[in-house]
Amino acid sequence: MQTATRVTQRTATAASGNTVSILAFGGDISSASKDAVLGAYHGLNEAASHVLLDFTGVDYINSSGIAIVIQMLLEAGKAGTQAIGIFGLSAHFQKVFTMVGINKYAAMHKDEATALAAV
Amino acid sequence: MTQARRQYRRALAVLLALGIAGLTAHAQHTVEHLALNPRGVDGTSLGTPVNLGARWLAHRGDNPAWAEPGLDDSHWRVVDLGVPLAQQGMKGVDAVWYRLHVRIPPNARHLSLMLTRAGGSLEIYANGKLIGGWGSQTPGGSRLIIESWRGAIPDAVLGSGDLTLAIRAHIGNFTHGGDIPTGPLGVQSEDLLGPASAISNAAALLSFRDLTSNWTNLTLVLLVLLITAALALTVSNEPEYKALLVALAGQACYQGFILWTLLVGTHITFGAGLVYYALSAVWTIGLIEFVRLILGMRRSRAFLLYYALLGVISPLVGICTYLYWEPHHALNGPVGVAVNLFTQLIAVPATAGLPLLALWVAWRKHNRDTLLLSAPLLVNASWVYYSFGLYVLRLFHAITEGTYLTATYTPITAFNIAWEEVVSFAFSISLLVFLVVRTIRLAREKARAASEMQAVKTLQALLLARSHQPTPGYAVETVYRPASEVGGDFFLVSPHSDGSIVAIVGDVSGKGLLAAMRVSLILGALNRESSRTPAEVLARLNQVLLGQGDMGFTTACCVRVEADGDYSFANAGHLNPYIEGQEIEAPGVLPLGLKADAAYSTVKGHLNPGERLVLLSDGVPEARAKRELLGFDKLLELTRLDASQIADAAQSFGQEDDITVLALTLAGAEVAVG
């Protein structure tokens, strides 16, 4: 039984002093999450040059959910104006994200503090 | 009372008439307005009840002595009960007395009097004897009390052959100083005098006539409710039926509540007002949610805000309606008008706007369901359009208030059915038609989709059967267990005359028809593939799948094992192979079909005879029990088992996705063959 995807947006200041937009996801990410996930990403200010994706509250990501994350990262890669980082993934999904090559498009960090320090 | 205050109160009266249409409409009754002489109604034939007629003597003011039969009332005005007192020279009345002289047989005994739908605060006298009444007889003390009253006339006051009926009434709040012909013996009233048994029978018949429309309405709503409940239970993936179920449950309780109030006597009390409007809010919010789901609109913040407003203001309307009729209350004035106007402005668009929204969406999206739904919604809103139109006409003095009330509330049959109730019948029936037509259409569509799905399932089974050819020199066990009718996983085993074997396991994101069609495309491409080099196979498949990103992605792991046990494999975002419980890692690469220039590196190794190489899909590690995943750690032990045992373990843990396991063992030692 899948649960609905929750997305919240907040900002934080990195150690470098840069403002970072953080998209925090919760629940499950699946094919039904497309509008929520991509909608939130598209809703970010275009001027946001640093974006962190927070998966701390995510319970489950299926292959369709991973496809959505990849689509988001490829869009960001095409624009070339945003540096995207990821944190809060469970060990299982860190492995899955690495398997599908997401780590080549987004730096993966253990937690928010580490991610902000790396910006 | 100042002119301004009166204007406010008149406006509020009309707004309340809109708001409490249900109550007042149910308070209607067909009346024969007999033009009898109130100074001498002939009641000498009392075998059957005598209709006391529409004309009574009336006099403004209050004096208990006016109950006496010997009072000289020759100067009292004859009033017509069907016309507002204000139009008969009695404007702004609070207290008023009515009298009627009836000639009865001197030996008449056991008589009863029945007043139907009398309102205000009343005391009823027969030949000077108080025989009944209700409400407060203090100035300004009238409240909205609509009663069907029946009482015995003591034999002790009979015997003279003359019966003088007198009614002391305070009606100020109730009839707005006589502006509205609704009481105490108003247009809705039918007053009968006769033998107690005959009056009892007449009361029973009247109650049956009065309540027929209510019972019919409630029965219809319950019928639609039952059908919707059946749909909600059987079509669990369509939440619109659940929303409609909630709405209809609110409507059924609402109709039942009205019926109950009519059966026990209609009193607008604080609690009754709250319940009435809270049930109305459940109905309205449920209906909007149902329409939103049918229209395919997102439950935006605007919807949630509107629901919250309706939820708050509906009980507020109930409170205002109650307080309005409370004597001397602060809300009984401009503040009450403002609050009521605000609430009406919020509530009315919910009913009036829905059909327009449905028609607009039907026109924009060419959606048949939406067009079909607009019919019951238009029926439901027609009452609001009609009432509002009359209200506007009255506001600009194009029609009188009497015409307004008559056009709005006049019953249309002897069974006392108001126009609003006809609208309610028509709405229930048209909603029923909508549900039936939609259910038939959806059933047909599902049957067609099931037929198409079966065709794809057959095609997929044929393709996968070709995927497993005889494998001399190898023991290959494959297990394929789709999560739904057709799967998004695929595999292929291709032996070669040089003693090598190529095995590939992949996964298409998504499920259902689209994923199954994509699997068919991939298997077709793989069957045509001439290369036996894993990295090349994946690169070519990547080219085939390029530009289909909108359909999701495809992961695949391709392994080639030589006759001497040397193996090589390439991976495109898929799970790595496992040999004897050890994961053979490869660099992470994007899945297929996403980047034209993707390159897939080759990993090489050696498989000893008897060792098992296992390829699997993510349905195994992502089997899920509640929130716990089976996970990668368990794979280390699990992949030492047979393919079927691995699949069984994942399935029993909690299958979420398609499960595919391919176990390949090089012959030459004792091997387990699946």
Side-chain angles (χ1 to χ4, degrees), chain B residues 638-653:
Chain B
L638 216 52
T639 51
R640 292 178 182 275
L641 304 174
D642 292 346
S644 57
Q645 290 174 313
I646 297 170
D648 287 347
Q651 233 175 352
S652 60
F653 193 82

Side-chain angles (χ1 to χ4, degrees), chain B residues 228-526:
Chain B
T228 308
L231 287 170
L233 287 172
T234 52
V235 194
S236 56
N237 58 342
E238 297 198 9
E240 52 266 37
Y241 293 128
K242 292 186 180 67
L244 185 59
L245 189 62
V246 171
L248 289 168
Q251 173 76 332
C253 292
Y254 169 84
Q255 296 281 357
F257 182 73
I258 289 173
L259 197 54
W260 178 75
T261 57
L262 289 174
L263 284 170
V264 300
T266 308
H267 292 236
I268 288 195
T269 61
F270 187 76
L274 272 183
V275 170
Y276 185 88
Y277 284 95
L279 290 173
S280 170
V282 170
W283 156 245
T284 308
I285 292 171
L287 183 66
I288 298 173
E289 188 64 3
F290 169 67
V291 173
R292 181 191 70 76
L293 287 162
I294 294 287
L295 300 191
M297 298 178 78
R298 202 164 56 85
R299 192 195 284 132
S300 61
R301 283 184 183 173
F303 273 105
L304 293 176
L305 181 67
Y306 192 56
Y307 294 164
L309 271 174
L310 283 174
V312 170
I313 64 155
S314 291
L316 194 64
V317 172
I319 293 169
C320 287
T321 305
Y322 171 76
L323 293 179
Y324 175 71
W325 300 110
E326 271 292 299
H328 314 304
H329 196 280
L331 271 180
N332 192 350
V335 176
V337 170
V339 170
N340 210 286
L341 187 61
F342 173 73
T343 53
Q344 295 290 345
L345 285 174
I346 296 292
V348 169
T351 308
L354 279 181
L356 304 178
L357 180 67
L359 283 171
W360 182 71
V361 171
W363 176 64
R364 288 287 302 271
K365 295 185 177 176
H366 305 288
N367 184 316
R368 287 174 61 189
D369 271 352
T370 307
L371 190 61
L372 198 60
L373 180 63
S374 60
L377 293 177
L378 274 171
V379 170
N380 190 41
S382 63
W383 171 251
V384 174
Y385 298 148
Y386 176 70
S387 306
F388 186 71
L390 287 174
Y391 172 62
V392 171
L393 289 175
R394 188 208 150 275
L395 197 66
F396 292 101
H397 306 290
I399 57 172
T400 64
E401 190 158 298
T403 308
Y404 166 76
L405 288 166
T406 304
T408 309
Y409 301 128
T410 300
I412 53 175
T413 71
F415 279 85
N416 192 25
I417 300 171
W419 278 112
E420 190 204 14
E421 291 168 322
V422 174
V423 168
S424 189
F425 300 154
F427 173 69
S428 293
I429 290 167
S430 55
L431 187 61
L432 200 57
V433 170
F434 167 78
L435 290 174
V436 170
V437 172
R438 183 169 190 263
T439 304
I440 291 171
R441 190 179 61 72
L442 288 179
R444 283 182 180 156
E445 281 181 7
K446 278 184 182 169
R448 195 177 65 240
S451 165
E452 289 170 359
M453 185 66 88
Q454 185 57 41
V456 173
K457 192 176 175 181
T458 306
L459 174 67
Q460 196 173 59
L462 285 170
L463 286 166
L464 287 170
R466 287 186 58 197
S467 296
H468 195 167
Q469 301 167 29
T471 54
Y474 301 89
V476 178
E477 185 192 8
T478 55
V479 176
Y480 175 69
R481 294 181 187 167
S484 53
E485 284 193 75
V486 289
D489 283 3
F490 61 91
F491 68 90
L492 183 116
V493 181
S494 170
H496 194 265
S497 55
D498 62 5
S500 68
I501 189 169
V502 170
I504 184 166
V505 167
D507 175 14
V508 170
S509 66
K511 292 189 182 74
L513 206 56
L514 191 64
M517 293 304 289
R518 202 167 193 213
V519 165
S520 303
L521 169 77
I522 290 167
L523 287 173
L526 287 174

Side-chain angles (χ1 to χ4, degrees), chain B residues 472-474 496-502 532 560-567 606-609 664-668:
Chain B
Y474 301 89
H496 194 265
S497 55
D498 62 5
S500 68
I501 189 169
V502 170
R532 297 183 62 78
R560 173 176 170 147
V561 182
E562 308 297 338
D564 61 2
D566 286 346
Y567 70 80
H606 186 79
L607 185 71
N608 293 315
L664 184 154
T665 310
L666 188 61

Side-chain angles (χ1 to χ4, degrees), chain B residues 195-213:
Chain B
S197 58
I199 289 293
S200 175
N201 290 340
L205 179 62
L206 201 65
S207 172
F208 172 73
R209 284 167 51 191
D210 270 3
L211 300 181
T212 299
S213 59

